Amino acid sequence: MKITIIGGGSTYTPELVKGLIDNRDAFGLEELALQDIRPERQEAVASFCRRLMEKEKASFSLTTATDRKTALNRADFVIIQIRVGGQEARNRDIRIGLDNSLIGQETTGIGGFAKALRTLPKVLEICSDVVQYCPNAWVINFTNPSGLITEGIIKATGVQTIGLCNIPYTFKKELAGVFSVEPRDIELDYVGLNHLSWVRKVMVHGKDRLPELLEMADSSSDILPEELDYPVAFLKILKAIPSGYLRYYYDTSRLLAELKSSPKTRAQTVMEIEKELFEKYNDPGVIEIPEALSKRGGAGYSEAALGLIDSLVNNKREIHVVNVQNNNSIQGLPEDSVVEIPCLVNSYGAHPLDAGDVNPHQLALMQHVKAYELLTVQAVMEGSREKALLALITNPLGPEASKALTILDDIIKSNQLDFLH
Ligand code: G6P
């Protein structure tokens, strides 16, 4: 089996390599191919990965390429984890947001919009190469905004794709710690879109422990992860735990004030973390995953990815929360649009489970954000500036119509989006 990582020079890659070494018997991996357009980054990452592989006597080979053809040729799985424009572009998005008193977070608000516009065209180019060089491969998309990008891949190409985010699995692991069980003992009743989701039940050995969890959270602030700093009374009314990203919608002014008063943007902080990581990756004496990697938001993503691949390759029929086409699992959203939902995963793919009744509060927000996502995908597919403008003003965290044109022009200029007419 061959796995290809597009964006192999990502500082996250060694975590995936470590996971592949630890699960060496799970899927008969023969080759891991890294592809990145920035050879210096990729070589630093690959040399560290080779040290890890040597130390652990890995049985697969690691290859690197800057051209996609070599890397994709005969791949069985293609993981796409690119960041078009790097952290500099992320920083510009945040700044455009702050200059306009808007949320410019990398997936949410106008930051997610700008990132989607510069990223989706590149991801579609990658997918057309997938069609040419490895048409039967599964594409696993981590590229943010992950739900929207997966929506675009599915709408514009015939590539079989599953969108993935580390958050559902990470939350499950955290809950396993709270209830002193293994993550596999927990099933989440989970509904939403990527970064716009709610956990409605926490099933531990078949019993819903959400009410108990909320009682525990009421008496101790250490129970829920730090980013879920919602008042417990509010969670009890929702009867669900919202994703941390929903704070941008529920608590916009507070979050904006926090972003404004922060001495550094998240992009600047990540640049510092990456500098430290590359120093370690380039140091021949370093043969352990550096502690600094745990400071990245996506840490732990390899477990989510490898669990999913294992279930696909070995027909495990496990349940994974992933981004796939709705297929009527959530009534009230288009059948063919992408949702983040528990799926039964076997060798034929990820099959969404019926979400049952969805609270109108949750459905309304999902419909609103999905309308924005679909308009953004159409803007890219049609090269339409008009659709991009509509998308921007449809985003619940977007600008007032009177400011939208100027902001869109700023985004087009700072990202050189010449395809929008
Ligand atoms: C979370 C999200 C990812 C995102 C990451 C950002 O894990 O689920 O989608 O990429 O945070 O982390 P960073 O370290 O780049 O801020």
Side-chain angles (χ1 to χ4, degrees), residues 188-205:
L188 301 178
D189 176 351
Y190 186 110
V191 70
L193 311 181
N194 180 237
H195 290 183
L196 192 95
S197 57
W198 295 263
V199 171
R200 304 181 301 180
K201 283 184 186 160
V202 176
M203 303 300 290
V204 184
H205 292 308

Side-chain angles (χ1 to χ4, degrees), residues 16-32:
L16 199 86
V17 169
K18 174 83 172 74
L20 287 167
I21 296 170
D22 293 346
N23 291 279
R24 64 187 81 210
D25 299 327
F27 14 79
L29 180 66
E30 288 154 320
E31 179 184 350
L32 177 68

